[in-house]
Amino acid sequence: SQTIHQWPATLVQPVGSPLSLECTVEGTSNPNLYWYRQAAGRGLQLLFYSIGIDQISSEVPQNLSASRPQDRQFILSSKKLLLSDSGFYLCAWSATANYGYTFGSGTRLTVV
Amino acid sequence: QKEVEQNSGPLSVPEGAIASLNCTYSDRVSQSFFWYRQYSGKSPELIMSIYSNGDKEDGRFTAQLNKASQYVSLLIRDSQPSDSATYLCAVNDAGGTSYGKLTFGQGTILTVHP
């Protein structure tokens, strides 16, 4: 069966520090991968999606970037965090468009 | 811009009652519709998917879709306190591509009280 792993679970980082969040999927090949952010009390905002290695599409211009160095690995990065980057970051995968997404357990990021 | 609208609630129902959650969407070409449940501090969990007009039942959950009205709903029968969560409506605008981007509503907070 397929599983999705996301880490770390929680992170407290100072303003201006770098960020790296990692997500991996097991049990499938060539998944569609997504990064979402959920700010406190708000809905899910799509940040990046990827349909293959090194194929990344950005939905929202900001100081975040994403990379997919391997088929089942998706990384979210920032060179310098802002206070507004705080939130709940969720990685998700899907096999095809019609099956919906399966989310990882999420990373709660607090920028101080 | 594609939009998915939900009543944010909170919706409060007594244990054993039917909870009715509603969602409207703006893009007429939307093809797939999903309901996710999100407990506080946890990630969303897929509970229902629906693709055709009409009703789809799974245990105590029934999803209803009306594409002409651009409306999708979720009924929870015999509501339990463990159903207390935020329910997210999501719409996929795949448009025939092999991947799809889900647009989520803001979510409806459901509270089931004993």
Side-chain angles (χ1 to χ4, degrees):
Chain A
S1 63
Q2 301 88 4
T3 55
I4 179 168
H5 302 280
Q6 193 179 341
W7 67 91
T10 60
L11 195 57
V12 180
Q13 293 285 95
V15 169
S17 63
L19 173 73
S20 180
L21 303 179
E22 189 163 343
C23 171
T24 60
V25 180
E26 296 178 356
T28 188
S29 59
N30 197 30
N32 300 321
L33 295 172
Y34 309 86
W35 278 110
Y36 278 82
R37 177 171 62 198
Q38 187 175 39
R42 302 187 64 179
L44 289 162
Q45 178 187 36
L46 178 62
L47 302 176
F48 300 94
Y49 67 93
S50 171
I51 62 172
I53 294 176
D54 294 330
Q55 299 180 66
I56 311 292
S57 295
S58 174
E59 288 291 299
V60 182
Q62 53 203 324
N63 68 321
L64 299 172
S65 62
S67 62
R68 185 171 176 174
Q70 301 180 41
D71 180 46
R72 291 169 290 175
Q73 183 185 30
F74 205 22
I75 298 172
L76 182 70
S77 303
S78 174
K79 292 182 179 178
K80 289 185 178 183
L81 284 168
L82 306 173
L83 286 174
S84 58
D85 291 323
S86 294
F88 192 37
Y89 287 81
L90 291 156
C91 180
W93 80 274
S94 71
T96 70
N98 283 338
Y99 290 167
Y101 298 170
T102 299
F103 284 92
S105 54
T107 295
R108 191 161 304 280
L109 171 67
T110 303
V111 182
V112 296
Chain B
Q1 173 139 359
K2 302 177 177 63
E3 294 183 349
V4 178
E5 300 286 343
Q6 292 182 256
N7 188 327
S8 62
L11 174 65
S12 181
V13 301
E15 184 175 356
I18 296 175
S20 178
L21 305 163
N22 304 315
C23 172
T24 59
Y25 59 95
S26 65
D27 192 346
R28 286 189 172 275
V29 302
S30 298
Q31 300 180 351
S32 311
F33 307 86
F34 306 91
W35 284 98
Y36 284 80
R37 177 176 61 198
Q38 186 176 23
Y39 291 115
S40 180
K42 303 296 185 182
S43 61
E45 171 192 15
L46 179 65
I47 56 173
M48 288 290 286
S49 58
I50 187 166
Y51 310 105
S52 304
N53 282 328
D55 294 359
K56 178 181 178 182
E57 186 174 320
D58 183 0
R60 295 186 296 110
F61 299 100
T62 298
Q64 300 174 316
L65 175 61
N66 184 326
K67 290 186 178 181
S69 299
Q70 296 175 240
Y71 175 92
V72 60
S73 65
L74 178 71
L75 301 178
I76 306 174
R77 292 182 300 280
D78 189 23
S79 295
Q80 302 297 309
S82 58
D83 295 326
S84 298
T86 297
Y87 289 81
L88 301 167
C89 174
V91 176
N92 191 329
D93 60 349
T97 60
S98 61
Y99 62 93
K101 295 179 286 181
L102 288 185
T103 300
F104 286 84
Q106 296 282 66
T108 297
I109 300 170
L110 172 66
T111 301
V112 181
H113 53 87

